[in-house]
Amino acid sequence: MSFRQWIKKHKSVIILLGIFTLSVVIEMSFGLYYYLKHGPVLAGNDPYYHARVVKKIITEGTYLKYDPLLGYPLYKNNPRPPFYEVLGAVASYVFYLITKNLDWSVYLGISVVTVLSAAALTVASYLLASEVFNSKKVGYLAALFTAFTPAIVERSAFGFADWDVLIMFLGIMGYWAFARAVKVVGDNKIISKSYAIGEYRNLMRILSNRRFLKYAILSGIFLGLVSITWQGYPMVLAPIAFYLTVSGIISLASRRDISAEYVASAISYLIPAIISYPVYFWVMAPQPHTWKYSVLMLVYVLVVGGVLLYL
């Protein structure tokens, strides 16, 4: 294989790697210079609180459940789910083994996690856009747009260590996997709908499709990781329920079977409820009011989606 043929074969990977690198350079261009010149420093209040939690994980091996410095002189529960801090602790511990300087390592570790999350977001944008529009060119434009979007750059620049871009990356990957699951099955026109046992054959056929299940489960895992990163995760899950509802209403006129959307939505909502349960009840100080939203959204999908499916 010639070099030109190799370039052509791996064109997409090369372009995405270039955009990924460009994003890293943009995010680190100012912050890393300031960090190296002036020493460990972060920007904003949230990054310092993330650093506080990460330091406790590294030094004590436990997550910060109750914080006496929140609501001083009374203490409050730490409201932040742990996934971002755990990733930050892993990266920070690697740097700590090298430098033996806790502050330097933690500030650097969580900043690197944030920058890499922003760069990974460009790849997620490519995957979702190319899947939805069935065009790699649209995907490349989406990735470039993500890399240069001021709001994203501002919230993920080196030193502003926060979870925003990680949440966006996980959410968009969840949407991409959901879209892949639905497209694997394709469209099926049906003559009539009823509650007869025979009408469940579409559901059984879908559940036996391994590629469909793989992507539906992958969607649930990504959305589940969102649920243990941010308590506002219902806002990230909501678009799938909205899509299912709109598809179901349209199917009343088009007679298009929505079994794929229904099953994929149910799986995508069931897994976050399972993943988040031990986190919101055991890892963190108990947060039942936050966890219940995953159950309520799952019930909505099962009931409303089920009615639209067989109406």
Side-chain angles (χ1 to χ4, degrees):
M1 180 184 296
S2 66
F3 180 73
R4 180 175 296 180
Q5 290 175 324
W6 186 89
I7 291 292
K8 185 176 181 180
K9 181 178 179 181
H10 300 90
K11 177 182 176 181
S12 295
V13 175
I14 294 171
I15 293 176
L16 289 177
L17 184 59
I19 297 175
F20 183 96
T21 305
L22 175 64
S23 176
V24 171
V25 171
I26 292 173
E27 304 294 346
M28 301 187 72
S29 57
F30 173 76
L32 182 60
Y33 167 78
Y34 190 90
Y35 187 89
L36 295 175
K37 183 177 180 180
H38 299 282
V41 64
L42 294 173
N45 59 314
D46 283 350
Y48 278 103
Y49 197 83
H50 290 308
R52 170 174 163 75
V53 177
V54 170
K55 289 178 183 179
K56 183 176 178 63
I57 294 175
I58 293 177
T59 57
E60 301 180 22
T62 59
Y63 190 70
L64 182 63
K65 289 185 178 182
Y66 308 102
D67 192 346
L69 298 183
L70 286 180
Y72 182 84
L74 303 176
Y75 72 86
K76 289 185 178 180
N77 299 338
N78 174 16
R80 293 162 175 80
F83 186 63
Y84 175 78
E85 281 85 359
V86 170
L87 290 180
V90 172
S92 300
Y93 188 70
V94 172
F95 291 121
Y96 180 66
L97 291 176
I98 300 172
T99 66
K100 304 301 180 182
N101 185 316
L102 186 61
D103 284 342
W104 198 94
S105 301
V106 170
Y107 294 175
L108 179 61
I110 58 178
S111 295
V112 167
V113 167
T114 304
V115 167
L116 292 180
S117 297
L121 178 59
T122 63
V123 179
S125 299
Y126 162 81
L127 291 173
L128 181 61
S130 60
E131 187 67 35
V132 172
F133 295 99
N134 198 29
S135 169
K136 288 186 177 182
K137 291 182 179 179
V138 174
Y140 298 144
L141 290 175
L144 275 174
F145 179 80
T146 302
F148 285 105
T149 299
I152 294 176
V153 174
E154 186 267 335
R155 298 294 294 182
S156 57
F158 187 91
F160 194 94
D162 210 351
W163 53 27
D164 301 285
V165 287
L166 176 63
I167 294 167
M168 294 176 65
F169 165 71
L170 295 172
I172 290 178
M173 288 300 295
Y175 301 154
W176 165 76
F178 177 84
R180 287 287 294 170
V182 173
K183 288 185 70 174
V184 161
V185 177
D187 291 340
N188 292 283
K189 295 286 185 179
I190 54 177
I191 299 175
S192 64
K193 295 181 179 182
S194 73
Y195 287 96
I197 297 298
E199 292 299 323
Y200 286 90
R201 63 183 180 274
N202 286 330
L203 292 178
M204 296 301 104
R205 175 178 57 83
I206 290 172
L207 289 173
S208 64
N209 188 320
R210 292 186 178 181
R211 290 188 64 207
F212 169 84
L213 288 177
K214 178 180 69 175
Y215 286 114
I217 292 172
L218 190 61
S219 174
I221 291 174
F222 279 119
L223 296 177
L225 293 177
V226 173
S227 72
I228 60 173
T229 303
W230 183 42
Q231 286 203 35
Y233 70 91
M235 289 186 283
V236 180
L237 270 64
I240 289 181
F242 178 77
Y243 172 80
L244 174 65
T245 303
V246 173
S247 295
I249 294 173
I250 294 175
S251 74
L252 297 178
S254 66
R255 311 310 297 169
R256 186 181 67 83
D257 180 49
I258 61 166
S259 297
E261 289 90 334
Y262 178 68
V263 177
S265 299
I267 294 175
S268 296
Y269 278 23
L270 173 62
I271 294 176
I274 295 173
I275 291 177
S276 61
Y277 179 82
V279 172
Y280 284 110
F281 283 89
W282 298 327
V283 177
M284 302 175 63
Q287 308 273 347
H289 296 295
T290 301
W291 180 77
K292 73 178 180 182
Y293 291 113
S294 60
V295 178
L296 291 175
M297 297 183 78
L298 174 62
V299 171
Y300 173 87
V301 164
L302 293 175
V303 175
V304 176
V307 170
L308 292 172
L309 180 65
Y310 290 108
L311 193 62

